[in-house]
Amino acid sequence: MKQLEELDISQNSFYGEIPDQIGNLVKLVQLDLSFNSFAGHIPNTIGNLYNLNGLMLNDNNLTGNIPQEVGIDLSCNLLSGEIPKELTSLAGLNLLNLSRNKLTGDIPYAIGNLTQLESLDLSMNQLSSSIPQSIASLDSLSVMNLSFNNLSGQIPPGNQLQTFNDPSVYEGNPGLCGPPLSKSCSSGGSFNPELVENTHDDEVDDMIWFYVSMILGFVFGFWGLVGPLLFKTYWRYRFYGLVDRIQDRVL
């Protein structure tokens, strides 16, 4: 069994946990356990399968985190946690499907290291933050789906990403903006530090001018009333007389 290079037991009714002993099949190149009823965690021993370039575990009931060394197709499970950065070290990977799970956190920037990647599906998770610019460097990428997550910010420009002109690739991410979406980033679809700084400066300037105008108004108003009383004797007598008459009426 240790010399086995391909194991396909897909589309059966197997259930229970994937045994740790699977990691003893060190010659394994293809492993397909999809469309069964396997449950529990993915055994870390799969990381011992260094020759593995095809792993299909989709359409099971697997839970827990994704082991660092596991890739390929893990869609339609209950996997949680962040996408392990170590996954991006599988340079020969040509398909990565983690869709329909409960993954959180960012898309690793090092995903740009997967230069052979042809298909990437991270849809229907809870991924957040922005789409890393490094995805634009995946020249072999022909299929991509990032829909229905919590991604935000501007969709990175780049020759390869420009080929994905179908908005459905990004739908379900209200915080995303820029082509091919109709939402423009200039209308508040992305965080722009320079814009925030300029707005803050404008608010400070407005506040300064408010206080300056208030002080000037007080100064001119004060001297407009008191100045004539100080320098014009006639006006001073008339003012004091007016005050006395008002006081007599009040009392």
Side-chain angles (χ1 to χ4, degrees):
M1 289 289 290
K2 287 187 177 181
Q3 303 302 315
L4 193 65
E5 295 185 357
E6 183 173 344
L7 177 60
D8 184 350
I9 55 172
S10 61
Q11 303 186 55
N12 284 287
S13 300
F14 292 115
Y15 60 91
E17 297 186 351
I18 300 174
D20 290 337
Q21 290 78 6
I22 196 78
N24 296 333
L25 304 177
V26 293
K27 299 290 187 179
L28 212 57
V29 176
Q30 296 283 337
L31 175 61
D32 191 347
L33 309 180
S34 62
F35 294 98
N36 282 288
S37 298
F38 288 113
H41 295 265
I42 302 171
N44 290 327
T45 54
I46 285 185
N48 299 333
L49 307 179
Y50 297 111
N51 296 311
L52 199 65
N53 59 29
L55 174 62
M56 282 66 74
L57 301 178
N58 54 289
D59 292 274
N60 281 286
N61 297 311
L62 299 170
T63 59
N65 296 329
I66 301 174
Q68 295 179 356
E69 297 85 354
V70 174
I72 314 295
D73 192 341
L74 299 173
S75 61
C76 301
N77 282 289
L78 301 172
L79 300 172
S80 58
E82 297 185 356
I83 299 175
K85 294 180 176 59
E86 289 78 5
L87 189 64
T88 60
S89 64
L90 302 175
L93 205 62
N94 58 21
L95 181 147
L96 179 59
N97 188 349
L98 305 179
S99 65
R100 299 174 185 269
N101 281 287
K102 297 182 178 181
L103 300 176
T104 57
D106 302 347
I107 300 175
Y109 188 85
I111 198 167
N113 296 337
L114 303 178
T115 55
Q116 305 300 314
L117 201 62
E118 299 177 3
S119 178
L120 174 64
D121 192 344
L122 305 178
S123 63
M124 296 190 181
N125 281 286
Q126 299 167 22
L127 300 172
S128 57
S129 193
S130 59
I131 301 174
Q133 178 66 43
S134 59
I135 285 186
S137 65
L138 300 177
D139 296 332
S140 299
L141 198 62
S142 58
V143 177
M144 184 176 72
N145 191 350
L146 304 179
S147 62
F148 297 100
N149 281 284
N150 297 314
L151 300 171
S152 60
Q154 182 177 5
I155 296 173
N159 294 334
Q160 192 62 26
L161 288 186
Q162 287 178 359
T163 63
F164 299 104
N165 52 15
D166 184 355
S168 65
V169 171
Y170 306 102
E171 70 176 325
N173 294 282
L176 284 179
C177 61
L181 301 178
S182 59
K183 183 178 181 180
S184 172
C185 293
S186 60
S187 62
S190 66
F191 176 71
N192 189 332
E194 183 177 351
L195 179 59
V196 172
E197 183 178 354
N198 291 339
T199 303
H200 176 70
D201 291 342
D202 291 342
E203 291 176 352
V204 171
D205 290 342
D206 291 342
M207 186 64 67
I208 292 174
W209 278 111
F210 171 75
Y211 285 116
V212 168
S213 60
M214 186 173 64
I215 293 172
L216 291 175
F218 173 78
V219 170
F220 284 110
F222 176 80
W223 283 107
L225 175 63
V226 177
L229 299 179
L230 293 176
F231 300 104
K232 295 287 185 178
T233 304
Y234 173 76
W235 286 14
R236 187 163 60 248
Y237 286 151
R238 292 294 301 269
F239 176 75
Y240 290 151
L242 177 61
V243 172
D244 289 338
R245 288 195 298 273
I246 294 175
Q247 186 177 1
D248 291 340
R249 290 183 180 180
V250 172
L251 298 177

